[in-house]
Amino acid sequence: MYHFIVFAPLVGFLLAGLFGKTLGKTGSQLVTSGLLVFSAILSMFAFYDVVANGNVQTIAVADWVTSGSLNFDWGFKIDTLTAVMLVVVTLISALVHIYSIGYMAHDPDNPRFFAYLSLFTFAMLMLVTADNLVQMYFGWEGVGLASYLLIGFWYKRPSANAAAIKAFIVNRVGDFGFGLGLFAIFMVFGTVYLDPIFAAAPGQAGMTFNFLGYSVDILTTICIMLFIGAMGKSAQLGLHTWLPDAMEGPTPVSALIHAATMVTAGVFLVVRMSPLFEQAPIALMMVTIVGAATAIFTATIGLVQNDIKRVIAYSTCSQLGYMFFAAGLSAYGAAMFHLFTHAFFKALLFLGAGAVIHAVADEQDMRKMGGLKSMIPKTYILMIIGTISLTGFPLTAGYFSKDMIIEVAYASHGAVANFAWWAGISVALMTSFYSWRVIFMTFHGKPRAPKEVMAHVHDSPNVMIVPLIVLATGAILAGWFFSGSFVGDGYDRFWNGSIFLIGQNILEEAHHIPWGDILGKWLPTIMMAAGFGIAYLFYCRGGDLPAKTARAFKPVYNLFYNKWYFDEIYDFLFVRPAFFIGRVFWKIGDGLIIDGLGPDGISAVVVRLAGRVRKIQTGFIYHYAFAMLIGVAALVTYFMFFRGGI
Amino acid sequence: MADFPILSVLLLIPILGALIILPIRSAEETGNRNIRQVALLTTLATLIISMLLLGNFNNSLAGFQFVEFYPWFGGDTGFHLGVDGISILFVLLTAFLMPFCILASWKSIQVRVKEYMIAFLLLETLMIGVFTSLDLFLFYIFFEGGLIPMFLIIGVWGGARRVYASFKFFLFTLLGSVFMLIAILYMYAQVGTTNIPVMMAYDFLPEAQTWLWLGFFASFAVKLPMWPVHTWLPDAHVEAPTAGSVILAGILLKLGGYGFLRFSLPMFPIASSELAVIIFGLSLIAIVYTSLVALAQEDMKKLIAYSSVAHMGFVTIGIFVVNTQGIEGAIFQMLSHGIVSAALFLIVGVVYDRLHTREIARYGGLVNNMPRYAVVFMIFTLAAVGLPGTSGFVGEVLVLFGAYQASTWLAVIAATGVVLGATYMLYLYRRICFGPLDKPDLLNLKDLDKREFLIFAPLVAVVIWMGIYPSFFLDVMHASVAELIANYEAALGGIAAVGQ
């Protein structure tokens, strides 16, 4: 069963990729989508089998590498954590495949698109099922590749190509950290397999080793390096710059890869490695701080962006920040729960945004939308559902998971947890504001699109709407339905040891916050309502309140609008110097110094020789060969002579 | 099979092919066609024999197999051949790449076809000779002899600045060889034989080891090439015809790495351990420096040439950390790079044949009218950046595993090469394949034809096979590498014991 779940997308990729022309558009769509639907159905059975029957197992698949004491093979580790990811990945992927049949209908490159989608799914499944870290790295880089290919899918656009490369390289910076963590783990534990590492982790707690000449705590160092990998993949502060640009890819890609699945791989990694992180409190603190800071920072940018997809992209960064600080506070269940619900409502929002873009002739700038409410009512309602879930409207999925995280921060002690709580609360306000801003700017008010565009605005075909309805159902019900298992009373039975904890489960304490505690229980909801109110005031009452505010806080507005100038700073610090130094090394290092000082004397001779050779160039290869032969003969003679001389 | 002189046969087949070609008149087109076909068949025959060789090779033995010995100068100096788990893989690599060279030259070489093919066939014999020699003298002849056809290939069939490039190539490599020759002569005087297995068992004095090591190092460092004696490589590649670049990158660069494994480590273990720090320093510089230089290149072949230097930096690190992962990774990296860089040069050759320029800026948007080409190019780009699932990953990651155990600094700096490598390769790919197809002379470019497709298909298959099931190759080398390391450690341990 697991073989089929994981390899069906690979088969789909190979079929659509190699025989795309023969299969044609419809053929490729059906093959890849069909295989994924099967994969998704089987994943649900698998989920049931693991959660209800407790059927936790490891499955060996095939040999990979053995070198001395280092060994890693292909295999699956199936536990609750994997099962949750299997369901998320295959379900969202299947829905996105189906949705894309409608969304990409007019694109000439359908087989390629569907092949890439399936390739991505395969790599993601290899990542979440890995029983050793090298296979996880395989999936990790594999999803990076698929992301690169899909961001650059419309390869004629220079901006798409630039975004694709940026995504790959920024991710590689993160992978650099992952890789070093991996090498360190092998050196310390003598294996790259998860189970033995977890078993040996407590023995390494508090021990030190030499890293770059310093004596440092082993597990803290390893965890920080792994977390750098997670930061790259999950677009956390510092390594986040690729994600907004990644919106150059087709919208279904943004939904699948850059919202629901791939970007959550970093969270998955931290949760998966909880037996290590739990032994490394400093690393956990770092996870919390980075997560909370990312949540605030990217939310501020989201406030002022005008591209509908970019707002949602920044929102994704911000929500990932929530997941990380939950994990950092040892509330791994809450992190996974938010990952789970987020997959539904964020995929819904992205695909809904896709339906909007589809309706207004590929326009993404919200300033050129407005007034679409009555023209695409189905999309409108679905987007509203996504929004209330994201902002945490009571009893929706987002309410359960996000408020849980904020309550965890409230219940935790210490300055870091305090910071996380403040971040969580302020981000709740900002999230609500920018989400409703999207709704109001897109659907309400007067139409700002040209007349001829407005004339063609229509709701999407059913093949796109039905997946949205499935996601909307999840966005409303997933929280209520699964909250008990992920973070509630069923926690221990549900996770069944796949998440490791030291000491008191912080989720327990969070549950004990009394309903009378306004700050702890009600503030997130109040913030949600406030955000809605401000957005309404700004964007529904007409008037020029937004413009006035922007003018009044011009420096701040500019800072947010220009994304805190991260791209410019990186360009200045890394990109330009790299090219500049490259040129200097090439022209001066190689050209002037090495060739100049070294073989330049010789080189002058060469030129003279070359001149002479040109004169005596007879045009017969034999002459050259003869000259060379004499050289060798001389050598041999010398050798024999020398030998005889002894 | 045991008594069949398979290695001699392997050496003789290309020469035989060359002898058949010799009398064919290459003036007419039919003659040229016959010449090409004979050359192709010869290289294919060599490939088949070398596969038989691997098929009959016993993976569990560490020592030399298929040993042949024909006395030459008397004593135990002679025509002494044999392969172990390390060298057999390089024999296979050589035999595997040669048919591609012939095929790649099918249309692009139209003048002096006969001489060209003979040069390649002789080169094949010489390269196989290098990897199978068990006699130091024989090794030296093959090692230096390989220079001659390569020099001719660049100097006669090369580009506009071929004379400069071929002389630069020749001088650099010869300069290194002089030191090696002196070292060899000294060793012969010491041991009284040029028998390699005997020499491997001989304990050279620690002081002598340093000088001998440096002598060999001079030659191998140029061949690899290591920074700063790498500057001949970009010039040689740029001027060489496509097939010349393939052999240069695919096989000649591996001679240095092979030499370190066959001579420096086993014969001069003490010097190796003391001087490894030089290797590490130069390798790290190579990785960072040449990666940055590659980023700034405007010529496709130069870019790939510089990337080769960076990749070879991983190889030298892997060899001199002397642990299983490091050395096996280095060998695997050499095999992988042999195929991937060869393929990349073939890829450059495809568009060079059509447009006769290697200038990156002249291209752009090729994916629009050459989709198959773009796919193949993408696969090898990914292999070059070491994406898991391709051969490039296995070598690189094993070397880094090994390097981390030796020194964290080593691993951290080397790993930056992984980021930089992705940058220059993807940047190259983007400039050539992606973007709109708006340059007028690109509009009529044709996608890969059948011959070209047949060239790339097996290369793609091997690169992915090596990435997913590398055990096939790793199993061959395990025993020999284990023995190499055991002897190395024993030698060091012995000295330490004496020192106490």
Side-chain angles (χ1 to χ4, degrees):
Chain A
M1 177 163 72
Y2 293 102
H3 286 74
F4 188 90
I5 294 175
V6 174
F7 291 112
L10 178 66
V11 172
F13 159 66
L14 291 174
L15 288 178
L18 293 176
F19 310 109
K21 264 202 189 121
T22 326
L23 286 171
K25 186 173 128 184
T26 321
S28 322
Q29 290 170 345
L30 289 182
V31 165
T32 52
S33 309
L35 283 165
L36 255 161
V37 168
F38 270 120
S39 189
I41 292 169
L42 282 178
S43 295
M44 287 174 200
F45 280 117
F47 182 80
Y48 180 79
D49 190 40
V50 171
V51 173
N53 303 338
N55 205 349
V56 172
Q57 53 183 325
T58 15
I59 303 167
V61 176
D63 285 351
W64 192 7
V65 169
T66 304
S67 175
S69 57
L70 173 66
N71 162 257
F72 46 89
D73 294 327
W74 304 104
F76 303 144
K77 175 184 168 69
I78 309 294
D79 59 5
T80 307
L81 193 55
T82 302
V84 169
M85 292 305 286
L86 280 182
V87 170
V88 171
V89 173
T90 54
L91 177 66
I92 307 284
S93 178
L95 292 173
V96 166
H97 270 80
I98 295 168
Y99 175 92
S100 301
I101 293 175
Y103 190 83
M104 301 299 284
H106 302 296
D107 196 284
D109 277 331
N110 261 282
R112 188 163 62 94
F113 181 78
F114 281 87
Y116 288 170
L117 276 189
S118 285
L119 171 67
F120 165 78
T121 313
F122 165 69
M124 189 72 203
L125 292 172
M126 289 298 276
L127 193 168
V128 299
T129 54
D131 64 345
N132 68 73
L133 285 165
V134 184
Q135 185 181 325
M136 200 187 280
Y137 190 80
F138 168 88
W140 194 262
E141 290 252 299
V143 292
L145 165 69
S147 161
Y148 162 80
L149 293 171
L150 283 164
I151 295 169
F153 181 75
W154 286 312
Y155 48 71
K156 285 181 191 166
R157 291 188 195 166
S159 56
N161 297 327
I165 286 200
K166 188 173 173 185
F168 196 92
I169 289 162
V170 174
N171 266 293
R172 269 265 158 136
V173 175
D175 297 353
F176 169 82
F178 191 141
L180 290 174
L182 181 60
F183 307 140
I185 282 177
F186 174 66
M187 201 180 78
V188 172
F189 294 97
T191 177
V192 292
Y193 275 87
L194 295 173
D195 291 332
I197 294 172
F198 294 164
Q204 298 294 339
M207 311 280 267
T208 57
F209 67 170
N210 178 314
F211 186 75
L212 300 183
Y214 298 95
S215 180
V216 292
D217 187 84
I218 293 178
L219 292 178
T220 305
T221 313
I222 288 176
C223 287
I224 288 176
M225 287 190 285
L226 291 178
F227 179 58
I228 290 172
M231 284 171 67
K233 195 103 310 182
S234 295
Q236 293 298 288
L237 193 55
L239 297 178
H240 68 282
T241 51
W242 64 272
L243 184 57
D245 289 14
M247 298 303 125
E248 288 288 344
T251 306
V253 173
S254 313
L256 174 62
I257 302 185
H258 306 120
T261 54
M262 182 184 86
V263 290
T264 61
V267 181
F268 169 77
L269 175 68
V270 172
V271 177
R272 172 56 94 202
M273 301 309 284
S274 59
L276 264 59
F277 276 89
E278 279 295 290
Q279 309 279 1
I282 296 176
L284 277 181
M285 241 191 256
M286 183 177 158
V287 174
T288 314
I289 294 171
V290 171
T294 307
I296 299 186
F297 164 80
T298 47
T300 59
I301 302 173
L303 294 176
V304 296
Q305 299 300 312
N306 291 316
D307 182 314
I308 184 168
K309 283 179 71 182
R310 281 188 188 237
V311 177
I312 307 176
Y314 279 108
S315 161
T316 304
C317 279
S318 179
Q319 298 300 312
L320 290 166
Y322 270 121
M323 296 175 209
F324 275 111
F325 84 63
L329 296 170
S330 294
Y332 303 100
M336 286 307 293
F337 190 33
H338 198 50
L339 185 161
F340 183 71
T341 60
H342 178 259
F344 287 102
F345 58 72
K346 194 49 71 69
L348 172 61
L349 281 171
F350 259 122
L351 294 181
V356 172
I357 295 165
H358 192 76
V360 291
D362 294 332
E363 181 57 68
Q364 306 195 7
D365 192 332
M366 294 188 297
R367 286 170 298 190
K368 294 181 187 153
M369 295 177 184
L372 298 174
K373 183 172 57 171
S374 54
M375 309 183 75
I376 43 174
K378 290 183 209 160
T379 311
Y380 175 63
I381 293 166
L382 290 162
M383 286 287 278
I384 294 274
I385 292 174
T387 301
I388 59 172
S389 189
L390 168 63
T391 56
F393 190 81
L395 301 182
T396 59
Y399 168 78
F400 282 100
S401 57
K402 190 165 72 177
D403 284 21
M404 190 70 229
I405 290 175
I406 299 175
E407 281 166 25
V408 162
Y410 185 76
S412 304
H413 307 287
V416 173
N418 239 330
F419 168 59
W421 183 74
W422 279 108
I425 288 294
S426 49
V427 171
L429 175 69
M430 289 191 273
T431 305
S432 177
F433 173 78
Y434 65 63
S435 304
W436 287 109
R437 177 173 172 264
V438 167
I439 295 288
F440 295 145
M441 283 183 80
T442 311
F443 292 103
H444 292 248
K446 288 199 191 85
R448 294 181 295 273
K451 276 217 176 66
E452 58 274 19
V453 172
M454 289 307 285
H456 292 105
V457 171
H458 55 86
D459 245 331
S460 301
N462 280 337
V463 70
M464 288 164 71
I465 294 291
V466 170
L468 290 183
I469 294 172
V470 177
L471 289 171
T473 315
I476 292 179
L477 296 180
W480 174 79
F481 200 79
F482 285 103
S483 142
S485 306
F486 276 79
V487 293
D489 301 336
Y491 180 93
D492 289 327
R493 201 182 108 69
F494 178 74
W495 291 110
N496 195 10
S498 60
I499 290 176
F500 179 82
L501 274 181
I502 291 181
Q504 175 74 20
N505 188 347
I506 187 71
L507 291 167
E508 290 282 330
E509 282 183 50
H511 285 305
H512 292 143
I513 300 172
W515 284 100
D517 187 339
I518 303 280
L519 278 183
K521 272 290 180 200
W522 296 99
L523 198 54
T525 313
I526 295 169
M527 285 298 176
M528 185 269 297
F532 172 81
I534 300 171
Y536 184 80
L537 211 63
F538 269 56
Y539 295 99
C540 267
R541 299 295 301 269
D544 53 354
L545 200 52
K548 257 192 206 154
T549 320
R551 268 199 302 278
F553 298 97
K554 190 125 187 87
V556 180
Y557 176 81
N558 278 342
L559 184 68
F560 290 176
Y561 186 75
N562 290 302
K563 309 159 218 162
W564 297 57
Y565 299 101
F566 255 89
D567 284 331
E568 287 76 6
I569 293 168
Y570 281 180
D571 193 53
F572 178 76
L573 281 182
F574 303 114
V575 183
R576 276 163 205 282
F579 280 91
F580 177 75
I581 294 170
R583 279 202 91 74
V584 168
F585 280 168
W586 177 30
K587 295 287 185 193
I588 297 177
D590 269 23
L592 278 176
I593 299 176
I594 297 176
D595 276 359
L597 294 181
D600 199 34
I602 303 166
S603 160
V605 179
V606 169
V607 174
R608 248 178 290 139
L609 265 180
R612 221 173 296 158
V613 165
R614 223 171 280 134
K615 262 179 229 151
I616 60 163
Q617 203 170 23
T618 49
F620 286 109
I621 185 175
Y622 309 111
H623 291 192
Y624 304 116
F626 186 62
M628 303 297 301
L629 214 62
I630 290 178
V632 174
L635 213 73
V636 174
T637 317
Y638 172 75
F639 192 86
M640 289 171 71
F641 176 73
F642 185 86
R643 188 182 169 276
I646 294 175
Chain B
M1 200 68 201
D3 297 328
F4 184 73
I6 187 168
L7 292 177
S8 299
V9 170
L10 214 46
L11 287 178
L12 282 175
I13 290 177
I15 292 181
L16 203 69
L19 287 176
I20 295 173
I21 287 174
L22 206 54
I24 302 177
R25 289 167 57 90
S26 90
E28 310 99 47
E29 186 44 41
T30 46
N32 281 342
R33 205 174 57 220
N34 289 340
I35 289 169
R36 291 186 189 110
Q37 278 164 354
V38 172
L40 181 62
L41 287 176
T42 310
T43 53
L44 286 175
T46 318
L47 176 59
I48 290 168
I49 302 279
S50 66
M51 284 175 175
L52 283 177
L53 182 73
L54 186 70
N56 286 284
F57 184 81
N58 186 340
N59 285 350
S60 57
L61 297 180
F64 292 100
Q65 303 180 33
F66 308 103
V67 176
E68 295 173 36
F69 183 78
Y70 312 96
W72 193 350
F73 295 123
D76 53 6
T77 296
F79 198 76
H80 190 179
L81 302 177
V83 285
D84 67 354
I86 298 170
S87 53
I88 191 171
L89 293 169
F90 291 99
V91 172
L92 207 68
L93 177 69
T94 310
F96 178 70
L97 286 179
M98 273 298 171
F100 296 105
C101 293
I102 307 295
L103 280 170
S105 314
W106 212 257
K107 282 185 185 153
S108 55
I109 299 298
Q110 292 296 343
V111 288
R112 298 197 182 115
V113 179
K114 184 202 287 187
E115 290 84 350
Y116 182 86
M117 293 301 171
I118 290 176
F120 265 95
L121 292 174
L122 289 182
L123 190 58
E124 176 163 34
T125 292
L126 293 167
M127 291 300 105
I128 293 177
V130 171
F131 296 124
T132 53
S133 306
L134 289 186
D135 186 280
L136 195 50
F137 175 49
L138 194 61
F139 169 83
Y140 186 76
I141 291 181
F142 283 131
F143 189 82
E144 294 309 323
L147 268 181
I148 301 168
M150 199 61 227
F151 172 76
L152 292 173
I153 288 166
I154 299 173
V156 178
W157 293 275
R161 294 177 71 228
R162 58 181 186 270
V163 177
Y164 170 77
S166 56
F167 270 95
K168 198 172 176 183
F169 162 71
F170 193 73
L171 283 174
F172 259 101
T173 43
L174 202 65
L175 204 70
S177 304
V178 170
F179 294 105
M180 186 168 79
L181 182 62
I182 296 169
I184 289 177
L185 295 176
Y186 175 86
M187 286 161 72
Y188 175 64
Q190 280 284 309
V191 189
T193 177
T194 51
N195 186 315
I196 289 176
V198 172
M199 282 184 154
M200 285 164 120
Y202 187 86
D203 288 330
F204 289 97
L205 291 172
E207 309 83 72
Q209 280 196 19
T210 306
W211 291 105
L212 294 173
W213 189 93
L214 287 171
F216 277 86
F217 170 73
S219 178
F220 298 151
V222 170
K223 274 267 165 30
L224 257 167
M226 293 180 76
W227 188 90
V229 286
H230 65 281
T231 55
W232 63 270
L233 185 70
D235 283 318
H237 268 310
V238 163
E239 299 307 327
T242 300
S245 289
V246 168
I247 287 305
L248 199 55
I251 303 167
L252 264 102
L253 298 194
K254 311 301 175 286
L255 296 183
Y258 174 74
F260 280 134
L261 286 168
R262 178 63 75 233
F263 301 101
S264 304
L265 280 189
M267 294 183 190
F268 325 123
I270 299 161
S272 294
S273 115
E274 280 169 359
L275 300 174
V277 65
I278 299 178
I279 296 272
F280 296 151
L282 295 180
S283 306
L284 291 179
I285 294 175
I287 290 174
V288 177
Y289 177 106
T290 51
S291 294
L292 288 168
V293 173
L295 200 53
Q297 294 307 304
E298 291 143 10
D299 180 304
M300 291 190 233
K301 271 191 158 182
K302 272 199 173 169
L303 194 153
I304 299 167
Y306 276 110
S307 84
S308 292
V309 182
H311 278 117
M312 288 301 117
F314 280 95
V315 170
T316 39
I317 288 177
I319 292 174
F320 281 93
V321 297
V322 203
N323 52 42
T324 312
Q325 292 86 39
I327 290 183
E328 295 195 346
I331 297 170
F332 203 89
Q333 171 86 338
M334 282 195 267
L335 300 175
S336 162
H337 177 266
I339 293 171
V340 173
S341 66
L344 284 171
F345 281 116
L346 289 171
I347 277 168
V348 173
V350 169
V351 285
Y352 183 78
D353 284 350
R354 287 160 168 73
L355 213 60
H356 300 287
T357 176
R358 295 177 310 264
E359 201 188 326
I360 297 168
R362 292 281 304 281
Y363 294 92
L366 291 189
V367 63
N368 291 291
N369 55 351
M370 302 177 73
R372 263 185 286 172
Y373 177 74
V375 170
V376 171
F377 194 172
M378 174 55 79
I379 291 170
F380 289 110
T381 300
L382 296 174
V385 306
L387 193 90
T390 66
S391 60
F393 172 72
V394 179
E396 224 166 64
V397 85
L398 284 179
V399 166
L400 288 172
F401 266 115
Y404 191 94
Q405 293 171 67
S407 149
T408 43
W409 273 111
L410 199 55
V412 168
I413 300 178
T416 58
V418 176
V419 179
L420 291 170
T423 314
Y424 62 70
M425 280 315 291
L426 292 182
Y427 184 50
L428 170 71
Y429 187 85
R430 172 186 162 190
R431 284 181 290 171
I432 291 178
C433 284
F434 285 153
L437 188 71
D438 49 11
K439 297 190 177 72
D441 50 351
L442 299 180
L443 292 175
N444 295 321
L445 288 192
K446 295 226 160 45
D447 203 353
L448 298 181
D449 61 30
K450 210 171 247 167
R451 177 184 62 95
E452 290 166 327
F453 197 72
L454 279 178
I455 291 179
F456 287 114
L459 291 169
V460 168
V462 167
V463 162
I464 292 175
W465 176 37
M466 287 175 77
I468 296 173
Y469 189 64
S471 297
F472 182 85
F473 299 94
L474 291 171
D475 285 345
V476 175
M477 61 178 91
H478 283 325
S480 297
V481 170
E483 193 188 59
L484 174 68
I485 294 173
N487 287 341
Y488 176 85
E489 280 169 354
L492 290 188
I495 292 301
V498 170
Q500 287 159 2

